[in-house]
Structure formats: structure tokens, C-alpha cells
Amino acid sequence: MFDIRWIRANAEAFDAGLARRGAAPQSAALIAIDERRRQIIAELNDAQEKRNAASKRIGQAKAQKDEATAQALMAEVSTLKETIQQGEAAERAVEAELREALSVIPNLPLDDVPEGADEAGNVEYFGQNGTAETAARVRPARPVFDFAPKEHYELGEALGQMDFEIAAKLSGSRFVVLKSDLARLERALGQFMLDLHTTEHGYTEIQPPLLVRDDALFGTGQLPKFEEDLFLAPHAGSRVALIPTAEVPLTNLVREAILPAEDLPLRFTALTPCFRSEAGSAGRDTRGMLRQHQFDKVEMVSITTPEEGVAEHERMLACAETVLQRLGLHYRVMMLCTGDMGFGARKTYDLEVWLPGQDTYREISSVSLCGDFQARRMDARYRAEDGKPRFVHTLNGSGVAVGRALIAVMENYQREDGSIAIPDALRPYMGGKAMIGARS
């Protein structure tokens, strides 16, 4: 969310940033609303000054026993009170109008974000000062099969451990029931990721609520623009929503707070179920587990200063990459173009894991720098060196999506007989088990 004062002072840059995202200019319309707000405030202040002056003169008139003047002044004060009440109502209305207009405007991209209309404009990223050659040395190689690799749902159903039919009877489409070793493997993946981020990457583990209020959803940008993607329920005379991502409660841990600068950066992680209606995804990825209404994800959130935001973004990307490296999964990193970034992001990296069953890359993590966009919506600040409160910068990223990691492990570690090898990093979480579905 933007500060209208900044927009007034930087109208051309604001509209240019929106143009890079494919959005129409907004500064003129926003400034016009702000002009009306300022005019109402000026008229309100004038009426309040007149009322105060008239009220003072009433006492003077009564002291002089000038009842006629006192009565006239009292009538004037009464009229001014009505004017002030009307002005305060008008001020609230125009402020709500301005807030509503600002709340649906996406964040502005950083200068180094490539321009493009959609995912076709994304570019592969090899790290700061990186090259394709150095990336290839770090990233696990693509597996080579001497048979036609299957997709995860073919493998899971053949094992009798992945059931979409019974899930549909229970809950409808886009749900799955995992059983036996596959259920344990998914649990192992989540625990492995949590342990990695907390013991090696310095994140504090959080177990947040899975139901959040509108204010929290507004703070991270899910409301009002993406209401149709939420699962909402009435609660205590209001409503709550199942979290679409743990980014919502984790980022809101610092809402309406002024943090000591020495406490930054704050780094939080959580393993939670996530719930999305997938309202705009009709017909996409209807087979298997790629696009579910309910899925587990390990989320990372960082709260930092403006000066450290870009460096923290690179650090968070490296944390997510480490997950895939430890699992031996081939992947690439894409820098999203202006037309493919999320609503609240200034810059986003997507990690795309190789799925041999589909013979393509699919997103498994998205790591975003949001600047002060969310902090303004949450009123989350820190006390700078000069003693003044300033807005923090927020970042979020998947570390990583557990369901998609399960898919990737199944497809990349499959054997011709339909069994699945377990990556070394996960075997301690599987009781030492090295294979799922191996024939004796």
C-alpha cells in the first residue's frame, strides 16, 4: 500500500512503475481524491475555529449580560456543530474512498525486474554474479532414465498409497488421501525442511493459528483483491478465513508494533496446511496433487530494515535452494517479470523443480521482496538510528511446498518397477527406510 504523500511528490515515477506492470496510470485519480480530502479538512478546520471563537464570545456576552448576542452566538455554534459533524462524516467517507483505491494497487517493481506481460517474460537467474556454468555445478543434475518415467499420481495409485477417489467422496475434487509410506514421506519432508531452516538457517519456528481475521489478510495483501480465493467462515459476529499461506500469520506477528532496530532481522518459519479455493484455476492441473485446495507448506518470513532487504532476499533464496540441493532435485531459478509477479511483490524469484513424469519444470517455491508495502498495511515499524519510527521491509518465501516436493521426490527417484528410492536426507525421518514399494 502506498503513501498518498509519496504519490503526490512522485506522480510520474508512480505511473511509470504501474505501466511496467501493465497497469493504467493512477496518480491523477488518487491525487484528485486527496484534493477533495484536503479541501474537506480545510473547511472542517475553519468551522472548528469559528465554533471555538463563537463559544468564547458567548461567555463574554453573558458576562456583559448581553442576552441577545449570547443567544445569537449560541445559534451560530449550534449551526457550526452540525457543519462540523457533516464535515467529519465527509472526511471519514473520503478517507475510506482513498484507502479503498490505494488498497487494490499492486506494488511497484524494482528497476532490475525484467518487463513482460506473463510468464513468457520470466528470465533464468543464476545468482548474483553467477553464470549458467556455476549454477550447474551447484544444482543437482537432471536424472536420466532408461524407461519412460511416470507421473506421481500413476506411481502413487499403483502403490495403493495415493487415493483421489475416496478423497473426492469425502471432500470433492482437488483433495487427496495419502497412506502408509507416502503419508510418512510427506511428513518427513516437512520435518526435514523445518529442521534445516531452524538449525542451519537461523529461523524461529512458529506454530500459528490457521484461522485469521480480515485485518491480517488485508495486511499481507490477500484482501480485498483476492477474496474469492479464500475459504471464509463466520465467527463471533465477524468472519475468519483459513490461511492461504503461513505468510499471513507470520508476517502479521509484527503488526501495529514499533520494533527495536537491534532486533532486526526477525526470521520466522512454520509448517502449516494451506487452503486455497483455486477460483481462477478451473481446468488447470486437474490430475494429481499439483493444485490442491489443501496442501502443506513450509513458509519463511523475514522482517528487516530497508537497507538490508535486497541482501535478505538473496539469502532467503539460498535457504530455499538448499532444500532442493539436499534432496538431490534438479531445479532452476526464474526471476519473474513485471507481469507475472504477485500483487505485493517488488521482486520475486521462483524455484522450479524438474518433474520427469511431466518432462517439464514446475514451481515449488516463490521468494518475494515486498519492501514496505505490507508494513504500511499492517503499521509495522522499527525505531531507526535517528529515533524516528520507520516502516520495516518484509519478505516471504516457500521453503518449500511440501506436496510438490513429494511429487518431485516420487518422480525423480522412481524405479522401473514402480518403487521409489528415498533421498539420503530423508532416511533418518523414515526410520532408515531406503525404498518404498520395492519388490522382494
Side-chain angles (χ1 to χ4, degrees):
M1 192 156 171
F2 295 94
D3 183 348
I4 187 61
R5 293 171 298 181
W6 183 87
I7 294 174
R8 292 180 72 98
N10 301 273
E12 186 175 339
F14 176 71
D15 285 340
L18 290 178
R20 293 188 67 213
R21 294 202 66 152
Q26 298 282 341
S27 64
L30 293 168
I31 291 171
I33 297 173
D34 191 47
E35 287 293 341
R36 287 195 283 113
R37 183 183 70 88
R38 291 182 172 212
Q39 180 62 33
I40 289 169
I41 291 173
E43 293 172 354
L44 183 58
N45 289 339
D46 182 61
Q48 288 170 336
E49 288 177 1
K50 289 180 178 178
R51 181 195 60 184
N52 293 339
S55 297
K56 184 177 180 179
R57 288 165 56 201
I58 289 172
Q60 295 171 345
K62 287 186 175 182
Q64 297 171 2
K65 301 189 182 304
D66 187 349
E67 288 300 323
T69 299
Q71 289 297 322
L73 288 169
M74 290 172 65
E76 181 182 350
V77 166
S78 178
T79 300
L80 287 168
K81 281 183 178 179
E82 292 181 9
T83 300
I84 290 168
Q85 289 173 349
Q86 293 170 357
E88 289 172 340
E91 182 185 9
R92 289 192 295 270
V94 74
E95 285 181 346
E97 180 185 356
L98 180 59
R99 182 177 175 82
E100 182 178 354
L102 289 168
S103 70
V104 295
I105 296 173
N107 208 347
L108 303 183
L110 293 182
D111 292 341
D112 61 341
V113 174
E115 289 194 35
D118 51 35
E119 62 183 15
N122 299 341
V123 299
E124 190 164 2
Y125 179 68
F126 302 110
Q128 289 181 322
N129 304 315
T131 64
E133 291 74 18
T134 57
R137 288 197 295 271
V138 173
R139 300 172 189 173
R142 216 191 264 190
V144 177
F145 297 91
D146 55 8
F147 60 92
K150 296 179 180 178
E151 294 200 47
H152 68 284
Y153 55 84
E154 297 173 298
L155 294 163
E157 289 175 335
L159 289 168
Q161 299 181 23
M162 184 177 286
D163 197 324
F164 296 97
E165 184 176 345
I166 190 64
K169 291 179 181 178
L170 294 171
S171 307
S173 62
R174 296 193 187 274
F175 290 93
V176 66
V177 171
L178 296 176
K179 305 174 184 178
S180 189
D181 287 332
L182 285 187
R184 186 173 185 179
L185 182 59
E186 184 177 55
R187 174 162 55 91
L189 280 160
Q191 295 303 313
F192 158 70
M193 295 174 201
L194 268 186
D195 287 349
L196 176 64
H197 295 318
T198 56
T199 63
E200 297 187 32
H201 295 156
Y203 286 85
T204 298
E205 183 176 353
I206 303 292
Q207 190 176 63
L210 302 182
L211 292 166
V212 291
R213 299 166 57 184
D214 280 11
D215 286 349
L217 292 158
F218 179 86
T220 47
Q222 279 75 27
L223 288 179
K225 192 172 178 64
F226 303 105
E227 183 170 346
E228 66 174 3
D229 289 325
L230 300 171
F231 286 106
L232 297 161
H235 175 67
S238 182
R239 69 178 185 179
V240 290
L242 288 164
I243 60 170
T245 165
E247 171 199 345
V248 179
L250 293 184
T251 310
N252 276 278
L253 290 176
V254 298
R255 70 176 294 111
E256 298 172 0
I258 300 178
L259 307 169
E262 56 269 24
D263 286 357
L264 302 180
L266 294 173
R267 299 183 177 116
F268 305 124
T269 188
L271 167 60
T272 68
C274 304
F275 305 89
R276 298 182 187 177
S277 72
E278 298 291 350
S281 302
R284 295 177 59 191
D285 300 316
T286 55
R287 294 294 306 273
M289 288 179 58
L290 270 165
R291 198 175 296 276
Q292 297 274 281
H293 290 313
Q294 175 186 324
F295 58 94
D296 286 351
K297 181 160 63 78
V298 173
E299 186 72 9
M300 304 178 293
V301 162
S302 291
I303 312 295
T304 189
T305 62
E307 294 77 15
E308 297 299 322
V310 171
E312 186 70 15
H313 193 204
E314 296 294 327
R315 181 190 185 280
M316 184 177 283
L317 171 64
C319 292
E321 286 187 88
T322 302
V323 173
L324 302 183
Q325 292 164 6
R326 298 281 178 89
L327 292 174
L329 297 173
H330 177 69
Y331 68 95
R332 67 183 182 183
V333 180
M334 304 298 289
M335 185 188 299
L336 299 195
C337 69
T338 53
D340 199 34
M341 286 197 309
F343 174 77
R346 297 206 70 190
K347 185 177 182 179
T348 296
Y349 298 124
D350 270 9
L351 275 71
E352 297 182 345
V353 70
W354 176 252
L355 297 184
Q358 288 196 11
D359 193 32
T360 191
Y361 291 95
R362 297 301 297 260
E363 177 198 339
I364 195 170
S365 172
S366 190
V367 183
S368 295
L369 169 65
C370 298
D372 64 3
F373 187 81
Q374 293 177 327
R376 290 183 179 278
R377 300 169 80 99
M378 298 185 301
D379 192 23
R381 295 175 290 171
Y382 74 103
R383 197 166 297 282
E385 289 184 2
D386 60 6
K388 295 180 180 179
R390 303 188 189 281
F391 288 106
V392 298
H393 278 205
T394 65
L395 303 95
N396 63 80
S398 309
V400 297
V402 177
R404 293 198 173 192
L406 176 66
I407 292 169
V409 167
M410 291 176 67
E411 294 195 11
N412 281 274
Y413 284 87
Q414 64 180 291
R415 299 293 184 260
E416 189 171 9
D417 65 356
S419 61
I420 300 164
I422 297 172
D424 290 345
L426 298 180
R427 291 181 185 180
Y429 299 89
M430 296 289 292
K433 197 177 186 75
M435 192 76 65
I436 293 175
R439 294 176 181 171
S440 59

